[in-house]
């Protein structure tokens, strides 16, 4: 499709930001991968592989240490992964329950992935973006100061459970440590923890609580960099390189590849869906699989 025909759609996307956190579902023409596949290759790369697109902006000859290809699925695999996130009569995606402690958590056999991050990092927006092909799912948001924060469980068909942990920052570390520590330490079917970092500000003091916890419990975790649409390319490059260096030098259990995402433009969302489908054992491809 010619670039000039796309421009009005891209322009439309840019006007959507303020609604992201207000409980209304962000809408993007690029929620569905079939739409993404219509893009010219440069725009497609930018949307699907944002890290690779950033890499293209390095000064020729410089050797930035970005791990681009640790997880680099084919477009076919990304398209296949989308089916797990698409609600249908045979693939029910729904909010299951909430818990304030691990002993209140449902006893589920399916593999689980959990999302943790500071309050305001963009966690609910990201989960809404991941579930955008399941419009019936109501993503729980609890932000009122003083209200008990809960661990929310979402069932994704018969494939896996997505777990939304309370945001830390407000009355942290007490709340966060009490509620989350036992879950992270003892949840047997937890396959991967997604630790969200705001790409605008990088790793903050409060993030270290979660990082230290993941390291201490030897959990396999992944750093997801949120809100990448908010920064200039130069600022984003700087943040990404700093965080990558941190991951390489200061962590043991963190997956080497970063996952930059935007819940507004859907950049990185399709790749993240594919990664989740893969690590929960559902994609079943021989090309890549991580234990
Ligand atoms: P949470 O507290 O971690 O659940 O954060 P929210 O998802 O509520 O997001 C916090 C704020 O950041 C809200 O104002 C969102 O609209 C905004 N936000 C979240 N994700 C993005 C994003 O990808 N891009 C932009 N521009 N804003 C975002």
């Amino acid at each position: 499709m010619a670039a000039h025909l796309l421009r009005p759609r891209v322009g439309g996307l840019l006007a959507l930001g303020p609604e992201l956190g207000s409980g209304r579902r962000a809408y993007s023409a690029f929620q569905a991968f079939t739409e993404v596949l219509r893009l010219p290759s440069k725009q497609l790369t930018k949307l699907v592989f944002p890290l690779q697109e950033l890499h293209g902006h390095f000064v020729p000859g410089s050797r930035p240490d970005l791990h681009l290809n640790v997880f680099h699925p084919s477009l076919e695999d990304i398209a296949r992964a989308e089916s797990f996130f698409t609600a249908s009569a045979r693939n029910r995606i729904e909010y299951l329950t909430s818990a304030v402690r691990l002993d209140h958590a449902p006893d589920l056999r399916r593999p689980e992935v959990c999302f943790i991050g500071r309050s305001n990092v963009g966690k609910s927006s990201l989960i809404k973006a991941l579930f955008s092909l399941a419009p019936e799912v109501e993503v729980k948001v609890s932000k009122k100061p003083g209200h008990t924060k809960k661990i929310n469980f979402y069932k994704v068909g018969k494939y896996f459970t997505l777990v939304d942990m309370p945001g830390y920052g407000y009355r942290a570390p007490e709340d966060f440590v009490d509620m989350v520590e036992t879950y992270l330490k003892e949840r047997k079917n937890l396959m991967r923890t997604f630790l969200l970092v705001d790409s605008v500000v990088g790793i903050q003091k409060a993030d270290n609580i979660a990082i230290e916890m993941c390291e201490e419990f030897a959990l396999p975790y992944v750093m997801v960099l949120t809100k990448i649409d908010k920064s200039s390319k130069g600022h984003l490059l700087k943040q990404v390189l700093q965080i990558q260096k941190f991951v390489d030098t200061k962590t043991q259990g963190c997956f080497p590849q970063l996952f930059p995402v935007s819940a507004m433009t859907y950049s990185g969302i399709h790749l993240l869906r594919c990664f989740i489908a893969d690590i929960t054992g559902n994609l079943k491809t021989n090309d890549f699989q991580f234990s």
Side-chain angles (χ1 to χ4, degrees):
M1 188 186 288
H4 71 276
L5 292 177
L6 285 162
R7 244 172 250 133
R9 284 159 72 181
V10 174
L13 286 180
L14 297 176
L16 292 168
E19 296 185 357
L20 272 174
S22 62
R24 291 180 60 181
R25 188 174 295 278
Y27 176 76
S28 162
F30 301 123
Q31 290 172 7
F33 200 56
T34 42
E35 290 300 317
V36 176
L37 289 171
R38 291 182 216 271
L39 289 171
S41 74
K42 211 171 157 196
Q43 278 175 288
L44 186 143
T45 303
K46 186 173 171 183
L47 199 72
V48 181
F49 303 108
L51 207 54
Q52 188 167 320
E53 201 264 337
L54 272 182
H55 195 256
H57 288 78
F58 283 114
V59 180
S62 68
R63 298 193 40 158
D65 296 322
L66 285 181
H67 303 292
L68 297 168
N69 294 316
V70 190
F71 182 73
H72 193 86
S74 65
L75 296 180
E76 287 76 16
D77 282 331
I78 296 177
R80 217 150 53 79
E82 188 170 279
S83 63
F84 302 107
F85 288 87
T86 308
S88 67
R90 297 183 61 186
N91 189 43
R92 291 183 62 136
I93 302 177
E94 58 196 355
Y95 162 75
L96 274 182
T97 186
S98 300
V100 286
R101 295 205 316 261
L102 182 62
D103 50 4
H104 296 169
D107 184 14
L108 303 167
R109 303 253 157 94
R110 287 183 290 270
E112 230 159 74
V113 292
C114 79
F115 285 70
I116 60 177
R118 276 186 309 121
S119 301
N120 236 33
V121 72
K123 190 157 54 65
S124 8
S125 303
L126 174 61
I127 293 173
K128 281 178 197 164
L130 289 170
F131 284 156
S132 62
L133 303 169
E136 301 304 316
V137 180
E138 192 199 333
V139 176
K140 303 273 169 198
V141 184
S142 139
K143 293 210 162 154
K144 289 192 191 129
H147 279 226
T148 313
K149 293 186 180 182
K150 293 179 177 161
I151 305 175
N152 299 315
F153 294 80
Y154 299 89
K155 170 187 165 186
V156 182
K158 58 182 190 301
Y159 303 108
F160 61 92
T161 309
L162 188 149
V163 183
D164 178 13
M165 302 302 253
Y168 43 95
Y170 170 71
R171 286 175 56 194
E174 302 84 6
D175 272 2
F176 178 72
V177 172
D178 287 353
M179 291 175 72
V180 176
E181 189 177 72
T182 330
Y183 172 87
L184 291 181
K185 207 159 136 183
E186 294 181 14
R187 193 72 168 167
K188 297 212 165 38
N189 49 341
L190 178 61
M191 307 290 283
R192 197 71 49 133
T193 298
F194 291 86
L195 200 156
L196 275 51
V197 172
D198 188 330
S199 71
V200 179
V201 294
I203 297 171
Q204 301 285 293
K205 231 178 185 171
D207 295 318
N208 285 317
I209 302 166
I211 294 170
E212 279 164 21
M213 227 182 247
C214 291
E215 291 286 325
E216 190 187 328
F217 305 150
L219 294 177
Y221 65 105
V222 183
M223 267 198 216
V224 177
L225 315 183
T226 60
K227 309 182 190 177
I228 60 166
D229 60 279
K230 274 186 100 172
S231 306
S232 69
K233 198 123 304 164
H235 180 77
L236 185 59
L237 272 172
K238 196 171 136 228
Q239 292 291 351
V240 164
L241 280 175
Q242 265 176 16
I243 298 167
Q244 181 75 70
K245 191 169 173 198
F246 176 88
V247 168
D248 289 349
T249 58
K250 301 267 195 306
T251 69
Q252 301 285 326
C254 189
F255 192 69
Q257 184 172 320
L258 307 174
F259 283 79
V261 294
S262 164
M264 183 159 122
T265 63
Y266 279 73
S267 194
I269 298 294
H270 305 276
L271 188 66
L272 190 58
R273 282 184 186 143
C274 188
F275 186 72
I276 295 171
D278 187 47
I279 49 132
T280 51
N282 289 302
L283 211 50
K284 299 203 177 12
T285 164
N286 294 325
D287 298 345
F288 45 84
Q289 257 187 16
F290 306 98
S291 54

